[in-house]
């Protein structure tokens, strides 16, 4: 993903490390929020039909927003654009669309939305996904990935489907934030710190912290179905998008190879439980994921060969996590309607 920006704009020509050999992630450049009742500068109104969510199916940070949009039933309120998993020197592009342009925004590259917002410094921190773009003007509203999911879950309540879950309940926010803090530094970002390290010591530090945190999470999930409370929250969504990529990408490609996710006693059934929950597995595309990491990160994989495994059917094996109690959407929640088909299939790999 992004060598230096928040969420996913690894360009094949960039170097994501500093002089110490450490991976450095830059924060989001545009931190405006879309809220139910705007109260000043930097706040936009939650208004159906006004915004377009731009994601990569490969990017774990963007994947979060895709899951939340689906869980909350906001498909009719916020349109969706899916970029190609293969970036070039201008980063994320719409080459999968007809004529290589997004049919709503008219852009060939997501950077056009960034430059529409700020012509001089719009791409200073890179071009990252997820991004929310105003449809009528084509300019970027926000790329603040942590707040995008929180606000989709809370600030769009008026337009959410009946039975939508409460993903960031007030009484659990302190605990959710504490779990998310550790997961972000050691797991979500930790795999990147290991994968992009250019010094042995920096790699070993990230590797050690990653597996220490995974061990802690594995123990935490021994007697509870979800990370916080008795139904899915922001914490589960943020961990899932890294876990679902772990064996396919991070274990080998990023050298996070002490063990596979499938070898954890509790994390593996937990991840399968989420994968089999509507809104999670049906937004996963292993083809996009593997093509992005293995074909874009040429400094790590110069041959650009995409592995065939692991076998995705393992994600559908019984998990028995329901025996721990709780329910995915809460006592009054219901699952979203099934998707019609895959979100954006890719053409066959070049031989």
């Amino acid at each position: 993903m992004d060598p230096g920006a928040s969420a996913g704009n690894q360009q094949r020509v960039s170097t994501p490390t500093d002089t110490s050999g450490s991976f450095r992630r830059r924060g989001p450049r545009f931190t405006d929020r879309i809220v139910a009742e705007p109260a000043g500068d930097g706040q936009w109104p939650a208004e159906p039909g006004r915004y377009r969510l731009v994601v990569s199916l490969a990017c774990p940070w963007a994947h979060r927003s895709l899951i939340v949009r689906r869980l909350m039933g906001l498909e009719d309120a916020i349109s969706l654009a899916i970029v190609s998993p293969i970036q070039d020197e201008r980063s994320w592009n719409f080459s999968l669309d007809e004529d290589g342009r997004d049919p709503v925004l008219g852009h060939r590259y997501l950077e056009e939305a960034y430059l529409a917002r700020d012509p001089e410094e719009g791409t200073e921190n890179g071009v990252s996904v997820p991004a929310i773009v105003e449809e009528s003007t084509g300019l970027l509203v926000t790329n603040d990935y942590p707040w995008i999911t929180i606000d989709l879950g809370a600030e769009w309540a008026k337009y959410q489907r009946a039975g939508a879950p409460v993903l960031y309940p007030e009484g659990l926010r302190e605990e959710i934030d504490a779990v998310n803090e550790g997961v972000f530094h050691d797991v979500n970002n930790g795999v990147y710190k290991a994968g992009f390290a250019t010094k042995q010591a920096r790699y070993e530090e990230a590797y050690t912290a990653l597996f220490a945190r995974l061990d802690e999470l594995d123990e935490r999930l021994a007697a509870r179905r979800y990370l916080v409370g008795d139904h899915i929250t922001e914490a589960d969504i943020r961990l899932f998008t890294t876990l679902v990529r772990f064996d396919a990408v991070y274990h080998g490609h990023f050298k996070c190879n002490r063990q596979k996710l499938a070898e954890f006693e509790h994390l593996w059934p937990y991840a399968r439980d989420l994968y089999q929950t509507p809104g999670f597995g049906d937004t996963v595309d292993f083809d996009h994921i593997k093509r992005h990491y293995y074909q874009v990160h040429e400094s790590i994989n110069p041959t650009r060969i995409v592995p065939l495994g692991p076998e995705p059917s393992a994600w559908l094996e019984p998990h028995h996590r329901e025996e721990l109690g709780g329910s995915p959407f809460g006592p009054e929640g219901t699952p979203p309607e099934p998707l019609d088909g895959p979100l954006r299939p890719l053409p066959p790999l070049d031989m």
Side-chain angles (χ1 to χ4, degrees):
M1 294 311 154
D2 186 13
S6 58
N9 75 341
Q10 165 66 26
Q11 299 176 13
R12 300 214 296 259
V13 297
S14 62
T15 302
T17 52
D18 62 18
T19 55
S20 75
S22 298
F23 171 79
R24 299 296 181 189
R25 184 177 298 281
R26 293 183 297 217
R29 169 74 172 80
F30 298 98
T31 57
D32 289 3
R33 293 177 58 193
I34 301 173
V35 298
E37 298 182 6
D41 293 340
Q43 294 193 348
W44 299 61
E47 184 178 308
R50 181 169 179 174
Y51 307 106
R52 190 157 177 81
L53 174 64
V54 183
V55 304
S56 162
L57 300 182
C59 172
W61 315 87
H63 190 184
R64 301 173 179 183
S65 61
L66 188 61
I67 292 172
V68 175
R69 173 180 176 267
R70 177 145 161 65
L71 291 179
M72 310 317 289
L74 293 172
E75 290 92 338
D76 292 336
I78 305 169
S79 67
L80 179 68
I82 297 173
V83 296
S84 170
I86 308 302
Q87 297 160 280
D88 58 25
E89 289 75 9
R90 292 180 65 182
S91 193
W92 300 110
N93 60 75
F94 297 100
S95 61
L96 300 180
D97 289 296
E98 187 176 355
D99 297 326
R101 290 186 182 274
D102 179 79
V104 173
L105 304 174
H107 296 333
R108 290 190 180 276
Y109 287 89
L110 180 56
E111 74 166 12
E112 295 173 56
Y114 280 70
L115 294 174
R117 173 69 183 269
D118 186 341
E120 295 184 359
E121 299 181 352
T123 60
E124 181 181 11
N125 275 16
V127 179
S128 65
V129 289
I132 296 183
V133 180
E134 187 176 41
E135 290 188 357
S136 62
T137 61
L139 62 81
L140 184 79
V141 175
T142 180
N143 69 334
D144 194 347
Y145 62 98
W147 277 108
I148 286 176
T149 53
I150 290 174
D151 288 341
L152 287 176
E155 298 293 334
W156 288 77
K158 184 178 178 181
Y159 309 105
Q160 292 166 2
R161 66 179 180 85
V166 180
L167 299 176
Y168 196 51
E170 290 190 16
L172 296 177
R173 288 181 182 180
E174 185 175 347
E175 186 177 0
I176 290 171
D177 291 346
V179 171
N180 286 346
E181 182 75 7
V183 167
F184 170 78
H185 289 291
D186 298 333
V187 181
N188 299 147
N189 202 37
V191 293
Y192 287 88
K193 289 189 284 188
F196 284 121
T198 56
K199 299 288 179 64
Q200 185 70 28
R202 302 291 83 77
Y203 160 72
E204 292 184 10
E205 289 170 359
Y207 175 102
T208 300
L210 166 66
F211 283 101
R213 184 68 65 180
L214 290 177
D215 287 340
E216 176 187 300
L217 293 166
D218 193 62
E219 183 178 353
R220 180 184 182 93
L221 290 163
R224 57 196 306 165
R225 187 172 181 184
Y226 303 107
L227 285 172
V228 182
D230 59 3
H231 69 274
I232 291 164
T233 68
E234 270 277 330
D236 300 295
I237 294 167
R238 295 186 184 199
L239 179 58
F240 173 78
T241 58
T242 296
L243 295 184
V244 80
R245 289 161 173 78
F246 200 89
D247 288 359
V249 176
Y250 304 140
H251 178 269
H253 186 62
F254 278 176
K255 307 178 185 70
C256 300
N257 61 355
R258 191 194 77 179
Q259 68 194 93
K260 297 177 180 178
L261 173 66
E263 296 167 347
F264 279 92
E265 183 178 3
H266 306 296
L267 274 171
W268 175 225
Y270 162 81
R272 298 202 310 276
D273 185 6
L274 292 177
Y275 184 89
Q276 294 171 34
T277 300
F280 285 82
D282 52 19
T283 59
V284 173
D285 193 306
F286 287 113
D287 194 9
H288 277 250
I289 290 168
K290 291 192 291 186
R291 290 204 205 186
H292 171 77
Y293 283 93
Y294 288 101
Q295 293 196 313
V296 172
H297 300 164
E298 291 185 19
S299 63
I300 299 175
N301 184 42
T303 66
R304 302 184 72 226
I305 292 174
V306 179
L308 295 179
E311 174 53 54
S313 63
W315 284 91
L316 300 177
E317 294 175 357
H319 53 76
H320 306 295
R321 296 283 295 178
E322 66 278 357
E323 297 171 7
L324 295 173
S327 59
F329 306 105
E332 299 179 2
T334 59
E337 292 294 322
L339 289 175
D340 293 334
L343 290 168
R344 179 59 71 99
L346 293 172
L349 282 165
D350 293 334
M351 303 302 287

